[in-house]
């Protein structure tokens, strides 16, 4: 786990970000500003009768201090082992839901691609798949929670003991300034998300690619090594088509799958970000937790 000094250093760094803009593209009703500079150009599709792209700050807030804080641990030392453990849990869920053959299980195929992208050994991947077929059936749960500063969280858990997991998640939340909270899920939409490498892709070109691929939105973020990524967000039913279209457009896919995407972000100041980061790290360190989703946006 990163030390407080490292965390504070990351929080106070000036992030590389796109110039802010106050206008949005498309037919979306979101009135919030977006970080993508769409107001700087007059794209030809603006007057076109075809389906247009929706942009709002709730989906374009990834490229900021918070994205770097969330990735502070990175795939190093014991954190690498924890990352592989999380992949193992995700594989178990995918095998449970769709079988062990990735040719007939798109969710498993997407997870395996992520594993290979993070250099998870093939032998380890094969062992997890075989173990998932024989393992005791686990239960997948989503816990709703409120964190520091009023931020909302969804905590995805895979467990063979619901009581134990519920008590431990509740304890971790209470210890780190959070609490279980019904209704947090209303702040998120279940969406398809295709992540591609973002080197040498301008904001204007990202918008064009999103429209060409049939995506609803695009946001810029970074991986744990501060390499630029683009996240193309689409309806769940369009995930496969958007992924195929982006591949045909020459983009390198990093991952693709279903995610909880926040539509109502909560802005936190630096102290609240530190507290939220501590809470999320504590939750992620619990072996039953697969992933924590949040609606946090760093204060400008």
């Amino acid at each position: 786990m990163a030390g407080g000094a490292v965390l504070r250093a990351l929080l106070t760094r000036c992030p590389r970000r796109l110039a802010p803009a106050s206008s949005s593209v498309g037919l979306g009703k979101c009135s919030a500003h977006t970080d993508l500079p769409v107001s700087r150009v007059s794209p030809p599709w603006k007057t076109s009768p075809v389906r247009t792209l929706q942009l709002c700050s709730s989906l374009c807030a990834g490229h900021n201090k918070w994205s770097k804080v969330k990735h502070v641990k990175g795939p190093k030392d014991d954190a690498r082992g924890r990352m592989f453990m999380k992949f193992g849990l995700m594989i178990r869920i995918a095998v449970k839901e769709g079988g062990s053959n990735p040719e007939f299980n798109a969710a498993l195929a997407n997870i395996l691609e992520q594993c290979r992208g993070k250099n998870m050994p093939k032998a380890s991947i094969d062992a997890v798949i075989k173990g998932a077929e024989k393992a005791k059936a686990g239960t997948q749960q989503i816990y709703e929670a409120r964190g520091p500063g009023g931020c909302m969280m969804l905590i995805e858990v895979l467990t063979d003991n619901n009581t134990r997991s519920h008590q431990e998640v509740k304890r971790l939340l209470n210890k780190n300034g959070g609490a279980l909270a019904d209704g947090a899920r209303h702040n998120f939409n279940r969406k398809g998300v295709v992540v591609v490498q973002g080197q040498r892709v301008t904001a204007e070109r990202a918008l064009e690619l999103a429209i060409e691929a049939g995506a609803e939105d695009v946001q810029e973020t970074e991986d744990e090594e501060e390499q630029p990524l683009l996240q193309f967000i689409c309806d769940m039913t369009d995930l496969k088509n958007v992924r195929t279209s982006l591949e045909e457009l020459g983009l390198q896919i990093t991952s693709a799958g279903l995610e909880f995407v926040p539509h109502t972000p909560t802005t936190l100041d630096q102290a609240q970000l530190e507290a939220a980061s501590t809470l999320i790290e504590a939750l992620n360190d619990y072996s039953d937790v697969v992933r924590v989703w949040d609606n946090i946006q760093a204060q400008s």
Side-chain angles (χ1 to χ4, degrees):
M1 182 178 296
V6 175
L7 183 59
R8 285 191 293 274
L10 287 171
L11 283 164
T12 54
R13 284 183 54 182
C14 271
R16 179 178 59 80
R17 58 186 292 135
L18 300 171
S22 59
S23 62
S24 62
V25 178
L27 302 177
K29 295 183 180 180
C30 177
S31 60
H33 76 276
T34 174
D35 286 340
L36 294 178
V38 294
S39 63
R40 296 172 59 188
V41 295
S42 297
W45 57 81
K46 208 166 185 180
T47 57
S48 171
V50 299
R51 186 184 64 79
T52 52
L53 184 70
Q54 301 177 8
L55 285 177
C56 64
S57 62
S58 62
L59 292 183
C60 297
H63 191 75
N64 55 28
K65 291 182 289 186
W66 178 237
S67 67
K68 292 184 178 181
V69 172
K70 286 195 293 185
H71 291 131
V72 68
K73 295 169 73 174
K76 299 177 181 179
D77 303 328
D78 57 339
R80 183 180 180 86
R82 284 193 293 268
M83 179 178 64
F84 289 167
M85 181 184 67
K86 301 301 181 184
F87 279 136
L89 292 174
M90 294 166 69
I91 289 172
R92 282 184 58 192
I93 293 173
V95 170
K96 173 188 174 185
E97 294 179 346
S100 60
N101 188 340
E103 294 183 6
F104 303 104
N105 186 340
L108 177 60
N110 290 330
I111 295 170
L112 296 183
E113 185 173 330
Q114 294 179 55
C115 292
R116 289 188 287 268
K118 297 298 183 181
N119 299 315
M120 185 173 179
K122 185 177 183 301
S124 298
I125 295 174
D126 292 340
V128 172
I129 293 176
K130 291 179 181 179
E133 295 175 322
K134 302 175 183 178
K136 179 181 178 181
T139 302
Q140 188 177 4
Q141 300 283 348
I142 299 290
Y143 295 116
E144 302 172 85
R146 177 179 285 105
C151 65
M152 297 298 177
M153 298 179 182
L154 298 181
I155 306 164
E156 184 178 3
V157 169
L158 180 65
T159 179
D160 57 4
N161 188 321
N162 290 327
T163 301
R164 179 197 66 210
S165 296
H166 181 272
Q167 291 177 345
E168 181 62 13
V169 168
K170 183 178 180 180
R171 185 189 71 82
L172 291 171
L173 286 167
N174 292 338
K175 181 180 178 181
N176 294 282
L180 292 172
D182 292 336
R185 193 162 184 165
H186 297 314
N187 292 271
F188 300 82
N189 290 323
R190 190 71 161 162
K191 292 288 186 179
V193 179
V194 182
V195 182
V196 306
Q197 294 186 356
Q199 291 92 338
R200 298 182 297 278
V201 179
T202 64
E204 290 81 2
R205 180 54 180 158
L207 294 174
E208 294 173 357
L209 290 168
I211 292 173
E212 292 178 42
E216 296 176 357
D217 237 312
V218 60
Q219 73 176 34
E220 186 184 46
T221 185
E222 292 179 343
D223 62 15
E224 62 272 5
E225 297 176 354
E226 298 190 12
Q227 296 301 309
L229 299 173
L230 292 174
Q231 295 180 324
F232 291 87
I233 300 167
C234 61
D235 189 84
M236 292 189 294
T237 58
D238 294 332
L239 177 61
K240 183 177 179 180
N241 291 336
V242 170
R243 173 181 176 147
T244 300
S245 297
L246 291 172
E247 288 178 330
E248 292 174 349
L249 290 168
L251 296 177
Q252 184 175 347
I253 306 298
T254 299
S255 66
L258 301 180
E259 300 187 9
F260 287 101
V261 178
H263 57 77
T264 307
T266 299
T267 302
L268 303 184
D269 59 27
Q270 181 171 319
Q272 292 167 337
L273 282 177
E274 290 185 12
S277 178
T278 299
L279 170 58
I280 291 175
E281 287 188 5
L283 290 168
N284 278 322
D285 284 341
Y286 178 41
S287 59
D288 287 356
V289 172
V290 178
R291 185 165 180 178
V292 179
W293 315 86
D294 67 74
N295 73 336
I296 297 172
Q297 181 173 332
Q299 191 175 69
S300 299

